[in-house]
């Protein structure tokens, strides 16, 4: 498997061809939306820093505003940064396997790269009409030579479409979305070890693949079963089906940390206060109904791609943050960012008392003092 195992150009071409157009707005309105989202990202940055006590970038760049094809191109760039070095390592490790040397291997690899590129593009086309924003952790190298720290991206057509469908106040909704995404920026710029930890777990996950042909066939059979189960309305996902036992263990750690950061984002966007987003309760209620809705086909695709799992992560993570903050305050909760060892496990997210006992001590609530200081988010 070399860097050409995925034809990234095919992925972009397929994704941009298949993606549905966004809502139709005039040029003047589009410029206004872009300007307001940039401004609200700055406003949200201040609220997030004040509320969470996290030491993030002092004066970050405003959010990058993109359309759906722009989101697809940005994600392909991110995939290349992460995956291409790993593919080279996997190729060295595998040697003459299914896609080994020789003319047959070259043909299979060439065909496979286009098919895989089309698959990646089709998935991105589906996601590009759903994602409101994201904090991009993995960016191509900066031409200036500085290491990129990440980029906050907002997908303007999707934000406009959702606020129209929900019938909510546009400014409130846009600020609400910015609060969630700015929380992610605070997490990954204020906690210096977090990005490296996530990338390390992703690398280990991908390198733990079963490359033996027999194991690969077993994974493919599991994937077929997962598709059949999802169509019947079951809970199977392709992500579960294609994992080796070692990958499941790594994915547990990845899922735990992503549940924390997503839940923290959801908690902050709702808790910052009605004086900032006056209609927050109405927005949350309508948005939650939208999350849970959709056609049967849409629900099937969400199950297969693991999107329903991500929805559960928002809820579980938010409950964890809410419970910990309620019992030990924001300073006590912020102990979570000290190191990889203070991150909650899967079980601790489900039962926050286990995390508080382990990290803060069994008498955490009683021992919490008013003069407890928010720890430096970089774990120094």
């Amino acid at each position: 498997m070399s860097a050409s195992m995925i034809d990234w150009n095919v992925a972009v071409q397929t994704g941009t061809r298949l993606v549905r157009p966004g809502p139709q707005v005039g040029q003047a309105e589009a410029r206004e939306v872009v300007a307001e989202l940039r401004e609200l990202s700055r406003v949200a940055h201040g609220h997030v820093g004040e509320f969470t006590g996290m030491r993030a970038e002092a004066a970050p760049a405003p959010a990058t505003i993109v359309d759906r094809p722009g989101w697809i191109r940005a994600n392909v760039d991110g995939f290349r940064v992460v995956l291409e070095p790993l593919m080279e390592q996997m190729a060295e490790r595998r040697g003459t396997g299914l896609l080994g040397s020789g003319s047959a291997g070259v043909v299979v690899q060439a065909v496979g790269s286009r098919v895989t590129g089309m698959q990646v593009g089709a998935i991105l086309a589906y996601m590009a009409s759903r994602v409101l924003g994201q904090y991009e952790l993995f960016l191509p190298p900066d031409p200036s030579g500085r290491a990129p720290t990440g980029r906050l991206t907002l997908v303007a057509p999707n934000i406009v479409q959702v606020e129209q469908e929900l019938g909510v106040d546009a400014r409130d909704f846009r600020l609400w979305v910015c609060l969630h995404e700015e929380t992610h920026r605070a997490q990954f710029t204020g906690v210096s070890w977090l990005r490296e930890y996530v990338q390390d777990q992703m690398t280990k996950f991908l390198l733990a693949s079963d490359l033996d042909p027999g194991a690969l066939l077993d994974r493919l059979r599991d994937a077929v079963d997962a598709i059949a189960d999802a169509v019947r309305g079951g809970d199977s996902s392709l992500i579960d089906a294609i994992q080796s036992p070692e990958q499941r263990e790594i994915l547990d750690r990845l899922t735990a940390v992503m549940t924390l950061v997503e839940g923290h984002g959801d908690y902050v966007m709702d808790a910052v206060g009605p004086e900032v987003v006056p209609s927050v309760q109405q927005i949350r209620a309508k948005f939650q109904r939208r999350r849970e809705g959709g056609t049967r086909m849409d629900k099937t695709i969400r199950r297969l791609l693991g999107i329903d799992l991500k929805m559960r992560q928002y809820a579980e993570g938010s409950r964890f943050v809410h419970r910990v903050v309620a019992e030990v305050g924001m300073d006590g909760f912020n102990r979570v960012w000290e190191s990889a060892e203070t991150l909650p496990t899967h079980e601790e997210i489900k039962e926050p008392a286990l995390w508080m006992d382990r990290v803060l001590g069994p008498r955490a609530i009683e021992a919490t003092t008013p003069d407890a200081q928010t720890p430096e988010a970089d774990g120094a």
Side-chain angles (χ1 to χ4, degrees), residues 172-370:
D172 278 8
F173 183 74
R174 294 168 190 178
L175 178 54
W176 188 69
V177 171
C178 287
L179 287 168
H180 184 103
E181 304 307 334
E182 283 289 346
T183 302
H184 289 329
R185 171 150 45 189
Q187 293 160 349
F188 287 101
T189 61
V191 184
S192 62
W193 55 267
L194 186 60
R195 172 179 165 174
E196 185 178 349
Y197 173 82
V198 170
Q199 185 166 14
D200 180 61
Q201 295 301 309
M202 289 173 58
T203 299
K204 288 177 178 176
F205 178 81
L206 293 169
L207 290 179
S209 298
D210 282 326
L211 301 178
D212 171 75
L216 180 59
L217 289 175
D218 286 342
R219 298 282 89 76
L220 291 174
R221 279 194 289 268
D222 289 344
V224 172
D225 290 341
I227 292 172
D229 182 62
V231 170
R232 290 193 299 266
D235 294 326
S236 296
S237 78
L238 288 175
I239 293 173
D240 292 331
I242 62 177
Q243 292 165 31
S244 67
E246 184 182 353
Q247 283 178 307
R248 288 192 180 94
E249 183 179 333
I250 298 168
L251 192 67
D252 274 351
R253 293 194 294 271
L254 259 176
T255 302
V257 69
M258 297 316 294
T259 298
L260 173 68
V261 300
E262 293 292 5
H264 187 224
D266 252 26
Y267 173 80
V268 172
M269 74 194 299
D270 288 345
V272 161
E275 68 278 5
V276 174
V277 185
S279 57
V280 63
Q281 291 185 336
Q282 179 196 47
I283 290 173
R284 166 58 70 187
K286 289 187 174 184
F287 191 74
Q288 196 63 36
R289 286 196 294 272
R290 183 181 183 274
R291 270 183 178 175
E292 295 164 357
T295 64
R296 181 174 178 179
M297 178 57 72
D298 191 54
K299 291 178 180 178
T300 297
I301 294 173
R302 280 171 13 202
R303 277 195 295 272
L304 282 172
L305 297 180
I307 297 171
D308 281 354
L309 170 64
K310 189 177 179 69
M311 297 302 102
R312 290 195 294 271
Q313 286 177 2
Y314 286 124
E316 282 188 2
S318 183
R319 282 194 297 268
F320 173 84
V321 179
H322 191 278
R323 168 87 177 274
V324 174
V325 172
E327 297 201 16
V328 300
M330 188 62 75
D331 289 351
F333 166 78
N334 278 341
R335 292 283 304 278
V336 79
W337 308 119
E338 286 186 347
S339 70
E341 286 68 38
T342 59
L343 289 172
T345 65
H346 245 326
E347 290 304 313
E348 288 171 341
I349 285 177
K350 293 175 182 175
E351 185 37 74
L354 297 175
W355 179 84
M356 287 186 279
D357 285 350
R358 178 174 67 85
V359 175
L360 305 177
R363 296 178 59 81
I365 302 173
E366 294 87 346
T368 302
T369 57

Side-chain angles (χ1 to χ4, degrees), residues 85-141:
L86 291 174
M87 289 176 175
E88 296 294 348
Q89 293 181 50
M90 294 172 76
E92 293 171 9
R93 187 180 289 189
R94 180 168 51 193
T96 57
L98 287 177
L99 300 180
S101 59
S103 59
V106 171
V107 171
V108 171
Q109 189 167 348
V111 173
S113 69
R114 294 189 63 80
V115 171
T116 308
M118 291 173 67
Q119 291 168 339
V120 171
I123 292 171
L124 288 175
Y126 175 80
M127 297 298 298
S129 63
R130 301 179 57 88
V131 174
L132 301 182
Q134 67 184 42
Y135 185 70
E136 299 174 62
L137 287 179
F138 308 113
L139 301 173

Side-chain angles (χ1 to χ4, degrees), residues 15-131:
T16 53
R17 186 176 69 251
L18 294 179
V19 70
R20 291 178 295 176
Q24 297 301 306
V25 298
Q27 283 191 348
E29 183 182 353
R31 283 195 294 268
E32 289 174 6
V33 171
V34 169
E36 184 170 55
L37 286 173
R38 284 181 178 148
E39 174 59 27
L40 290 177
S41 76
R42 284 191 286 263
V43 172
H45 173 78
H47 290 310
V48 168
E50 182 178 351
F51 181 76
T52 66
M54 301 182 75
R55 298 183 181 181
E57 291 177 288
T64 298
I65 315 302
V66 297
D67 58 9
R68 291 171 177 178
W71 182 86
I72 290 171
R73 287 190 288 268
N75 275 267
V76 167
D77 287 343
F79 288 160
R80 295 185 71 163
V81 170
V82 175
L83 294 179
E84 286 189 349
L86 291 174
M87 289 176 175
E88 296 294 348
Q89 293 181 50
M90 294 172 76
E92 293 171 9
R93 187 180 289 189
R94 180 168 51 193
T96 57
L98 287 177
L99 300 180
S101 59
S103 59
V106 171
V107 171
V108 171
Q109 189 167 348
V111 173
S113 69
R114 294 189 63 80
V115 171
T116 308
M118 291 173 67
Q119 291 168 339
V120 171
I123 292 171
L124 288 175
Y126 175 80
M127 297 298 298
S129 63
R130 301 179 57 88
V131 174

